[in-house]
Amino acid sequence: MINILVTGGTGFIGSHTCVELLEKGYEVVVLDNLCNSKESAIDRIKKITGKNLKFYKADLLDIEAVDKVFSENKIDAVIHFAGLKAVGESVEKPLEYYENNLGGTFNLIKTMKKYNVNKFVFSSSATVYGMDNNVPYTEDMPTSATNPYGYTKVMIEQILKDITVADKKLSIVALRYFNPIGAHESGLIGEDPHGIPNNLVPYVAQVALGRLDALRIFGNDYDTPDGTGIRDYIHVTDLAVGHLAALEYADKNVGFQPINLGTGKGTSVLEVVKAYEKACGREIKFNITERRAGDIAVSYAETTLAKKLLGWEAKRDIDKMCADSWNFTINNTEGM
Ligand code: NAD
Ligand code: UFG
């Protein structure tokens, strides 16, 4: 297994995964339509690794463009990050989300079949655990969703499972990410959201920079030790390394396998604020506001299966995540 196609490879998690792949000696081909990222990510990946990678600016919804990538490269396995991911936007534009995330995946797996590519790693999400399961989340729990984005992940997982039943050559790993944050140590790549961030850490970073006045903490009356929501934050580099382990697993096994990628440790919003203050040496102002619709109190992973099947576990703690986020933020005040 040498040549890896990375869809969404200029995005946040994809770019970090390209770095880890290149550093381990894989050849990388990136396909991205740049709807939520910039081509500069490719130059930065090259700068970090000193290695070359191929880039196709192409849309997964354009099956001829996808075919061109497979016809011009001998692809051994695919890591599929490309998709739209904003929960709130998915409620406003459900059709766009279903069309892009499902349609893009259909074109990709149809083309894989045509070129006899059988190894596939998919970006799923802890969102598939819905609102009704108890923590820690285990991979055998029933899946559900509360918004169109979440449904795209639930539906794609089901489709991937069905196709592995019909085609015994297929090997598919669905990685269920918890809350990826942080950035590459170099400060060259990181999360570069457009406009006002929806997620906690990118928002806190903008407050630290002085671009936003204060964080709104969405509720301090949850049934948690300090009343604020608890999540399983995971360093994006740890997450990226998990994809290499998943590729090796897919190389040796067939069938469909969902696997959590988290630390197994929960951190509250107030604890994140404190860790970020330590990282940046500045005060993070905040106000307590109403709960955000659709939020749950606590989410964290059971990580046993990842250890057992992939031999992988997260290494970096919340202080390192905040330090690397701040290093990226302060070095890229005009974006990537
Ligand atoms: P991102 O937006 O930074 O990266 C996704 C990339 O896909 C972008 O570069 C975008 O331009 C590209 N893309 C989208 N639609 C495309 C299409 N039709 N054709 C070609 N390219 C397309 O997001 P990310 O945070 O790196 O997330 C990567 C994957 O992980 C997504 O599938 C996301 O749903 C999933 N995920 C992310 C998180 C998170 O909190 N970041 C959590 C769980 C799961
Ligand atoms: N929060 C605030 N203020 C903010 C933003 C967030 O208090 O401005 C709180 C939230 O209420 C929550 C925590 O910070 O308690 C984390 O919120 P995020 O928006 O950063 O992350 P979520 O856990 O809500 O959702 C993320 C992704 C989803 C994904 C889910 C599970 O955005 O796409 O993790 O992987 F499905």
Side-chain angles (χ1 to χ4, degrees):
M1 206 174 34
I2 306 163
N3 285 306
I4 313 298
L5 172 62
V6 182
T7 76
T10 45
F12 174 44
I13 307 169
S15 58
H16 289 79
T17 303
C18 288
V19 166
E20 299 305 316
L21 287 167
L22 290 166
E23 287 183 342
K24 283 282 173 310
Y26 289 98
E27 301 280 335
V28 174
V29 178
V30 168
L31 179 160
D32 201 300
N33 67 0
L34 303 178
C35 71
N36 197 37
S37 56
K38 296 182 192 136
E39 196 171 341
S40 59
I42 297 293
D43 295 325
R44 290 172 174 226
I45 294 166
K46 288 183 186 165
K47 198 167 169 190
I48 293 170
T49 60
K51 302 215 170 124
N52 226 332
L53 71 166
K54 250 185 171 174
F55 175 61
Y56 288 83
K57 181 176 184 300
D59 196 317
L60 281 178
L61 294 182
D62 176 358
I63 197 162
E64 281 164 22
V66 179
D67 195 285
K68 185 171 187 290
V69 176
F70 280 80
S71 69
E72 291 181 1
N73 301 277
K74 162 90 191 70
I75 303 294
D76 297 305
V78 177
I79 309 182
H80 178 34
F81 293 102
L84 300 173
K85 64 163 184 176
V87 173
E89 188 185 58
S90 80
V91 176
E92 310 288 315
K93 303 176 182 171
L95 253 188
E96 203 177 300
Y97 270 67
Y98 287 117
E99 184 177 25
N100 190 71
N101 293 3
L102 274 78
T105 305
F106 292 150
N107 284 344
L108 186 59
I109 51 190
K110 278 197 258 180
T111 312
M112 284 175 60
K113 192 173 171 68
K114 177 173 168 192
Y115 288 88
N116 198 27
V117 179
N118 296 308
K119 298 172 188 57
F120 190 67
V121 177
F122 173 63
S123 295
S124 189
S125 167
T127 196
V128 303
Y129 291 111
M131 308 278 277
D132 302 324
N133 290 304
N134 293 321
V135 287
Y137 295 138
T138 55
E139 290 82 349
D140 54 0
M141 285 175 169
T143 59
S144 66
T146 54
N147 56 72
Y149 166 72
Y151 276 114
T152 68
K153 297 297 181 192
V154 171
M155 290 175 183
I156 293 170
E157 280 204 14
Q158 183 64 48
I159 292 160
L160 296 176
K161 192 172 168 184
D162 292 343
I163 62 172
T164 60
V165 172
D167 182 348
K168 303 293 181 209
K169 292 192 303 299
L170 278 177
S171 175
I172 301 184
V173 182
L175 296 175
R176 294 177 177 166
Y177 313 151
F178 280 70
N179 289 57
I181 60 166
H184 191 264
E185 269 200 315
S186 61
L188 284 168
I189 53 172
E191 196 168 8
D192 190 22
H194 300 310
I196 296 178
N198 295 307
N199 296 116
L200 178 64
V201 171
Y203 199 105
V204 167
Q206 295 298 309
V207 175
L209 262 190
R211 293 221 170 124
L212 294 170
D213 288 340
L215 171 70
R216 290 161 307 156
I217 295 185
F218 299 137
N220 66 350
D221 56 352
Y222 284 105
D223 186 13
T224 61
D226 66 22
T228 65
I230 288 182
R231 296 289 183 275
D232 185 342
Y233 298 96
I234 175 168
H235 196 295
V236 63
T237 298
D238 280 329
L239 198 66
V241 171
H243 289 74
L244 274 67
L247 276 182
E248 284 170 25
Y249 176 87
D251 202 27
K252 297 191 192 79
N253 299 274
V254 289
F256 174 77
Q257 183 63 60
I259 304 178
N260 290 339
L261 292 187
T263 64
K265 187 179 178 309
T267 306
S268 75
V269 177
L270 284 170
E271 287 170 334
V272 170
V273 168
K274 232 181 263 164
Y276 215 94
E277 285 182 330
K278 196 163 112 190
C280 67
R282 301 177 181 190
E283 188 197 350
I284 307 293
K285 292 209 179 84
F286 65 83
N287 308 304
I288 308 290
T289 67
E290 293 291 290
R291 291 182 180 191
R292 182 171 65 179
D295 273 358
I296 49 175
V298 183
S299 160
Y300 59 91
E302 172 58 60
T303 59
T304 313
L305 197 65
K307 273 181 223 155
K308 186 175 147 205
L309 298 184
L310 305 181
W312 170 92
E313 60 186 314
K315 295 202 172 85
R316 294 159 178 85
D317 66 10
I318 192 74
D319 288 336
K320 175 70 176 156
M321 298 179 215
C322 292
D324 286 342
S325 162
W326 178 241
N327 181 42
F328 172 75
T329 304
I330 198 77
N331 283 302
N332 297 275
T333 51
E334 302 311 317
M336 273 176 63

